[in-house]
Amino acid sequence: MQAIVLRDREGPGGAAYGSFERPQPQRGDVLVRLRAASINRVDVYMRRSGAGITHTLPQIMGVDGAGEVAEIHDPQSPLRLGQRVVIYPALACGHCRYCLAGDQPLCLHVRYTGEHRHGTLAEYVSVPAANVLPIPDGMDFHTAACLPVAYLTAWRMLFGKAQLQAGETVVIIGIGGGVAIAALQLARMAGARAIVTSRHVEKLQHAIALGATAGINSQTEDVPRRVLELTDGYGAEVVIDSVGGPGWGASLKMAARGGRIVTCGATAGSQPGADLQRVFIRQLQIFGSTLGSQDEFRQLLNAVTQAGLQPVIDRVYPLSQAVAALDYLESGEQFGKVVIDIPLAN
């Protein structure tokens, strides 16, 4: 089969398109013929470093994927051959206290496709049957492939952690990436008011067209002051920050008293100042968040279907050009998801 395989990190050719052995499913697995994938910042991280993630090379890249059931090796699975499915990428042990509570991302032994084992930038992937969910009727492969990482992460941040309510104000730091845009769309779907920030005027304009109440240029404006102006001096009930670094202090300043700040990343740095006095005097709540549970994924699939929400897709590349797609994502120029189309072989 054809795949994007990471063989080394010694040069630009470490990840390349080429032939790789088709996966051999184990008992309890389902073999999926992939039709689409989408790429995420973690794919760029895996290509450049992968530090802290236990894995061996060569490895097929890719966390997100959707396709059709090709083989079923679990006699208890209700799936059917040819059924359209999407991959839930967190492979949990099923036995620890977190799995028994239904919180797979906290599993003591969790592994992810494209990080700890072969991923979805390929014609086939084999995963446990429990990680394969039916795609709702009317949803295409490209849409489904956008949801597992970016949209599920945003779902848990907004509703699982921050408990966002209609009428509240949420500030989304660094609009343009998959999680930030997903947070904007889901917040608007829930009836919340969304303020976004970016250094790029074009991205702010795109966000306003998507329903953002206001866009703040973080390069030319004082973001906390502007947020206070837009909220009559109260600040935002919720702040979504996946950037961290020097801007973390600003996130604390723009949160309302009793506000909730949720982080899922630290692309600008992982050791910002804590400003603990502000945290306890204003009684701020700070949540860390990663992905979401399988139940949350089912809720997301249902909500997207019911609301007719369409993920924002910036560009679509064929599998053969997925390395160029990774380069584009790394440039930071995208607005929305970058999707990989995986055509059926002739």
Side-chain angles (χ1 to χ4, degrees):
M1 71 172 185
Q2 300 300 302
I4 301 298
V5 183
L6 179 64
R7 298 186 183 276
D8 63 63
R9 299 185 175 91
E10 300 301 320
Y17 175 75
S19 297
F20 199 80
E21 182 180 358
R22 177 171 155 168
Q24 299 298 315
Q26 304 298 309
R27 180 174 176 81
D29 284 358
V30 168
L31 183 71
V32 176
R33 172 57 173 95
L34 290 156
R35 299 294 302 279
S38 72
I39 56 177
N40 301 280
R41 295 300 303 182
V42 69
D43 299 307
V44 173
Y45 180 74
M46 287 297 296
R47 181 171 68 155
R48 296 303 182 197
S49 170
I53 299 174
T54 302
H55 62 285
T56 58
L57 301 182
Q59 178 172 289
I60 297 172
M61 301 183 69
V63 183
D64 283 334
E68 299 163 327
V69 175
E71 296 178 13
I72 302 172
H73 295 262
D74 180 356
Q76 305 302 316
S77 174
L79 296 168
R80 309 182 308 275
L81 291 176
Q83 188 171 6
R84 300 180 327 118
V85 293
V86 60
I87 307 297
Y88 174 73
L91 283 65
C93 73
H95 305 296
C96 71
R97 67 170 67 175
Y98 304 108
C99 287
L100 295 177
D103 203 353
Q104 293 84 7
L106 291 180
C107 171
L108 294 175
H109 309 287
V110 68
R111 297 175 298 153
Y112 288 91
T113 52
E115 295 185 40
H116 307 92
R117 54 178 285 160
H118 291 314
T120 56
L121 293 179
E123 293 180 322
Y124 291 91
V125 67
S126 180
V127 294
N131 287 75
V132 181
L133 281 67
I135 295 175
D137 293 341
M139 182 180 292
D140 60 50
F141 289 120
H142 287 186
T143 294
C146 290
L147 300 179
V149 172
Y151 283 77
L152 181 54
T153 297
W155 181 274
R156 169 169 276 207
M157 292 176 80
L158 290 172
F159 308 123
K161 299 294 184 177
Q163 298 289 304
L164 180 69
Q165 301 296 312
E168 290 189 317
T169 296
V170 55
V171 174
I172 302 165
I173 305 298
I175 198 69
V179 172
I181 292 176
L184 168 59
Q185 291 185 284
L186 293 173
R188 295 295 299 128
M189 184 185 74
R193 181 188 189 203
I195 299 170
V196 302
T197 79
S198 176
R199 295 174 298 170
H200 304 279
V201 174
E202 297 83 2
K203 291 185 179 183
L204 295 174
Q205 292 171 341
H206 285 316
I208 290 172
L210 277 176
T213 302
I216 304 173
N217 190 320
S218 56
Q219 196 164 30
T220 62
E221 298 181 80
D222 183 322
V223 176
R225 178 177 295 178
R226 185 72 180 120
V227 168
L228 290 174
E229 290 174 354
L230 291 166
T231 57
D232 297 324
Y234 285 96
E237 286 86 1
V238 176
V239 179
I240 299 296
D241 187 339
S242 62
V243 179
W248 178 252
S251 290
L252 297 180
K253 290 178 181 178
M254 68 183 75
R257 294 174 182 270
R260 294 94 75 194
I261 303 169
V262 193
T263 177
C264 70
T267 56
S270 60
Q271 301 294 328
D275 197 1
L276 289 178
Q277 286 182 322
R278 183 177 297 273
V279 171
F280 64 73
I281 290 173
R282 290 177 173 262
Q283 300 192 45
L284 303 178
Q285 301 176 70
I286 299 174
F287 299 93
S289 192
T290 301
L291 200 68
S293 69
Q294 283 200 19
D295 281 345
E296 287 171 315
F297 193 28
R298 293 186 181 93
Q299 293 168 18
L300 170 66
L301 290 170
N302 182 64
V304 167
T305 302
Q306 294 297 318
L309 186 151
Q310 291 295 318
V312 177
I313 297 175
D314 182 289
R315 295 187 184 182
V316 178
Y317 291 79
L319 179 62
S320 60
Q321 296 179 23
V323 172
L326 287 167
D327 292 339
Y328 177 61
L329 184 66
E330 190 168 13
S331 75
E333 296 300 316
Q334 84 286 353
F335 186 87
K337 292 292 292 177
V338 178
V339 169
I340 307 300
D341 187 73
I342 308 174
L344 294 171
N346 294 327

